[in-house]
Amino acid sequence: QAYREKTGRIIVFYGRRRVGKSEIIFEFSRNKRHLYFDGLEGEATPAQIKNFVFHLAQQLIQRHLEKTHFSNWKEVFEYLTTNVFSEKSKWIFSFDVLQWFAAGQGRLIAQIKSYWDQNWRKQGVLLIFFSQFKEHRTYEKIVNLLSQQPLSLEELADKLDLKSSGSFKSFLDNLELAGFIQRSASIEKTSQKG
């Protein structure tokens, strides 16, 4: 359902490492336009941007990007806004551990908010952030900044059109049995605002 919305949506996922948060998104985004980026723990902004652009070039199959120099996140986001995202095609854009991308600087969040408000929401981008439980507070700040409301795992499955039975239900049951999640685990989504 969130994917089918004409305007963009934001989902924030958090949970322990190695429990399958990314796998849920990979399963959902199969046969859809999806850009997934893994941050580099402990690296500064220039290394994060270089890694991001390298993976962007691979995912878009645009090797010329590997030789393109972006000096800041604004230039990267401007490229995405004008050359990749459009109102005619739906994209899923995932940041796996946003804090690593930010490299301790709050400017990245402000830039994401600016591009979200001015462009990506209108372009129908489904923006997904990942985090671990210990980083929960940072993600709550992002959620508040971007006007989010809580969404249960079952609601998430519904929003992403995943069947709450079969492999997804088994996956959730196993996570719950292992003590990694509670059925009321915090996952966030955006509320539609004008």
Side-chain angles (χ1 to χ4, degrees), residues 68-96:
T68 304
H69 176 73
F70 293 94
S71 58
N72 55 52
W73 285 114
K74 184 177 181 185
E75 291 177 5
V76 174
F77 296 156
E78 191 60 34
Y79 180 85
L80 286 169
T81 301
T82 58
N83 298 294
V84 179
F85 302 150
S86 76
E87 293 177 23
K88 296 177 184 166
S89 60
K90 188 76 172 181
W91 281 90
I92 302 166
F93 182 24
S94 302
F95 283 94
D96 201 344

Side-chain angles (χ1 to χ4, degrees), residues 147-189:
S147 303
Q148 308 294 302
Q149 294 178 346
L151 183 65
S152 72
L153 288 170
E154 286 78 9
E155 290 170 317
L156 174 68
D158 182 55
K159 292 287 184 195
L160 296 178
D161 283 334
L162 296 172
K163 294 181 181 177
S164 59
S165 60
S167 62
F168 182 69
K169 183 176 183 332
S170 296
F171 172 75
L172 292 178
D173 290 343
N174 287 335
L175 289 179
E176 188 174 33
L177 283 172
F180 289 120
I181 65 165
Q182 295 177 349
R183 287 296 177 161
S184 60
S186 294
I187 297 174
E188 309 287 333
K189 73 155 182 101

Side-chain angles (χ1 to χ4, degrees), residues 1-12:
Q1 184 180 353
Y3 180 76
R4 283 186 257 136
E5 294 286 330
K6 192 169 191 169
T7 59
R9 294 285 188 197
I10 297 172
I11 297 174
V12 179

Side-chain angles (χ1 to χ4, degrees), residues 32-183:
K32 296 176 177 78
R33 290 180 177 98
H34 181 213
L35 296 172
Y36 172 86
F37 301 96
D38 228 347
L40 301 172
E41 187 172 14
E43 292 291 333
T45 299
Q48 298 289 352
I49 291 172
K50 186 175 182 178
N51 182 62
F52 185 98
V53 172
F54 174 79
H55 289 284
L56 179 65
Q58 288 186 328
Q59 291 176 61
L60 294 177
I61 312 168
Q62 294 182 4
R63 297 290 183 204
H64 69 279
L65 282 175
E66 292 176 23
K67 297 176 183 159
T68 304
H69 176 73
F70 293 94
S71 58
N72 55 52
W73 285 114
K74 184 177 181 185
E75 291 177 5
V76 174
F77 296 156
E78 191 60 34
Y79 180 85
L80 286 169
T81 301
T82 58
N83 298 294
V84 179
F85 302 150
S86 76
E87 293 177 23
K88 296 177 184 166
S89 60
K90 188 76 172 181
W91 281 90
I92 302 166
F93 182 24
S94 302
F95 283 94
D96 201 344
V97 191
L98 182 63
Q99 294 92 315
W100 295 351
F101 285 100
Q105 300 176 13
R107 289 188 306 249
L108 177 62
I109 305 301
Q111 288 175 339
I112 289 172
K113 179 176 178 10
S114 175
Y115 276 88
W116 174 255
D117 289 342
Q118 295 174 25
N119 303 289
W120 300 342
R121 181 186 312 192
K122 296 171 197 161
Q123 291 173 315
V125 174
L126 179 59
L127 186 58
I128 302 174
F129 300 115
F130 294 87
S131 180
Q132 301 167 23
F133 282 135
K134 68 181 183 179
E135 298 160 344
H136 171 92
R137 296 283 181 242
T138 302
Y139 276 76
E140 282 182 350
K141 290 177 186 174
I142 295 167
V143 167
N144 289 335
L145 180 68
L146 298 171
S147 303
Q148 308 294 302
Q149 294 178 346
L151 183 65
S152 72
L153 288 170
E154 286 78 9
E155 290 170 317
L156 174 68
D158 182 55
K159 292 287 184 195
L160 296 178
D161 283 334
L162 296 172
K163 294 181 181 177
S164 59
S165 60
S167 62
F168 182 69
K169 183 176 183 332
S170 296
F171 172 75
L172 292 178
D173 290 343
N174 287 335
L175 289 179
E176 188 174 33
L177 283 172
F180 289 120
I181 65 165
Q182 295 177 349
R183 287 296 177 161

